[in-house]
């Protein structure tokens, strides 16, 4: 199965709604975040989703502190039926690649989150 990781646009839309729904299924382990918290993350480029056949099967909410050289991971969630497929790793790799690109230098973001 092919997985594509995309950044949720500022406007949110269908991808945002799907990420919120997936997070709500896992509140026992993740805790509850409001839809507004997801939207605020999307507005600053801090929400990525994993898509399989146009279905959201995982997401990661994160922040890139301005003066620190690390990523703050808030939520990482993969749908139960897709666990063990390497989706979490793909989400982390996409965040790492994006953080390096925004930093402008390969060495400014640690190799490990």
């Amino acid at each position: 199965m092919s997985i594509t990781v995309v950044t949720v646009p500022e406007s949110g839309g269908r991808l945002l709604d799907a990420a919120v729904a997936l997070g709500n299924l896992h509140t026992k382990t993740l805790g509850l975040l409001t839809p507004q918290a997801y939207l605020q993350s999307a507005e600053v480029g801090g929400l990525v989703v994993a898509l399989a056949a146009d279905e959201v099967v995982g997401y990661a909410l994160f922040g890139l502190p301005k003066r620190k050289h690390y990523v703050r991971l808030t939520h990482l969630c993969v749908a139960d039926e897709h666990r063990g497929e390497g989706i979490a790793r793909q989400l982390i790799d996409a965040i790492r690649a994006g953080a390096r690109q925004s930093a402008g230098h390969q060495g400014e973001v640690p190799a490990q989150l």
Side-chain angles (χ1 to χ4, degrees):
M1 174 182 318
S2 178
I3 300 295
T4 305
V5 177
V6 298
T7 301
V8 175
E10 290 179 36
S11 59
R14 178 188 72 81
L15 296 178
L16 177 72
D17 294 342
V20 170
L22 182 58
N24 286 344
L25 290 174
H26 296 91
T27 57
K28 285 185 180 179
T29 53
L30 292 173
L32 179 65
L33 280 182
T34 65
Q36 185 64 28
Y38 287 87
L39 180 59
Q40 288 173 343
S41 289
E43 288 172 346
V44 296
L47 176 57
V48 293
V49 295
L51 299 171
D54 207 34
E55 173 191 359
V56 173
V57 296
Y59 74 87
L61 255 144
F62 63 96
L64 298 171
K66 293 183 191 283
R67 295 200 169 122
K68 308 269 184 184
H69 300 295
Y70 62 86
V71 174
R72 184 186 69 246
L73 188 62
T74 305
H75 265 202
L76 179 64
C77 183
V78 175
D80 292 335
E81 62 273 16
H82 291 280
R83 292 190 179 163
E85 298 175 11
I87 294 170
R89 170 57 47 203
Q90 290 179 10
L91 288 163
I92 296 296
D93 289 346
I95 293 168
R96 183 180 296 137
R100 285 183 178 143
Q101 186 176 25
S102 70
H105 302 293
Q106 289 289 341
E108 287 197 29
V109 177
Q112 297 180 353
L113 292 176

